[in-house]
Amino acid sequence: MIEAELKARVHSPEAVIRALDSRAAARAEVYRDTYYDRPDGSLEKAGQELRVRTIHGTDETRTVLTYKGAAVDGESGSKPEHETRVDDAEAVHAMLAGLGYVPVIAFEKRCRNYDLEDRGRRMLATLVRVPEIGGTFLELETLTEEDGVADALADVRAVLADLGITDEDLTRELYTDAVAAVRGLPA
């Protein structure tokens, strides 16, 4: 499946929160993300991602291992995504290290998630704050087959417009790059 996703900078977080709260219940979660690569950086060079995410919610803590392939849509950066829940985060970190992967960057995201049904699709809206980089972002995604990416992105764009987000607000900026820049690390 392809994660058809658009990300935007939010200039009026309170208005977007009100709009999302009127559509679905919010779920506050803190993500602790660690991104891995091969020592030669070949995953990043190929546009791929390997991530361990531990999610701290109000009722539970869970960890997922995610691999994202290279983008299938240049404008949005939408990528094939494969994700699975893991029982032991430390074991997964150890396995990746044992296989020769190295942690490239780790950071925290403070998220407010909304599970939505709109335009006949299940969507996930996530308001994101990364303390190190400031500002608020909105990610809106839905899963689709590769031949449905354009239609899925059109639906995502329409929902964003309903929330007051314009095309000028859209960004392809990566959190990993922004955090690396703040830390003075090579992107």
Side-chain angles (χ1 to χ4, degrees), residues 36-132:
Y36 284 86
D37 204 337
R38 296 181 183 111
D40 64 0
S42 58
L43 288 179
E44 192 273 327
K45 289 174 191 163
Q48 301 169 336
E49 299 174 34
L50 182 58
R51 178 186 69 213
V52 177
R53 170 175 285 166
T54 299
I55 304 162
H56 300 277
T58 54
D59 298 330
E60 71 170 339
T61 296
R62 64 193 186 282
T63 299
V64 292
L65 174 65
T66 305
Y67 165 75
K68 293 186 182 187
V72 297
D73 179 80
E75 183 182 345
S76 68
S78 295
K79 296 179 170 194
E81 179 176 312
H82 305 280
E83 187 169 86
T84 189
R85 190 170 176 159
V86 297
D87 289 329
D88 186 337
E90 293 311 311
V92 171
H93 287 290
M95 285 180 212
L96 292 174
L99 290 169
Y101 291 95
V102 294
V104 176
I105 196 162
F107 57 92
E108 181 178 285
K109 292 169 57 176
R110 296 179 185 160
C111 300
R112 188 175 174 100
N113 292 300
Y114 298 85
D115 293 307
L116 308 173
E117 289 276 339
D118 205 314
R119 288 164 174 75
R121 297 181 186 275
R122 294 181 64 199
M123 296 186 181
L124 175 64
T126 304
L127 273 168
V128 177
R129 289 191 174 115
V130 178
E132 287 181 76

Side-chain angles (χ1 to χ4, degrees), residues 22-37:
S22 73
R23 293 172 169 238
R27 193 174 64 250
E29 296 176 318
V30 175
Y31 297 177
R32 294 219 166 82
D33 291 351
T34 303
Y35 286 81
Y36 284 86
D37 204 337

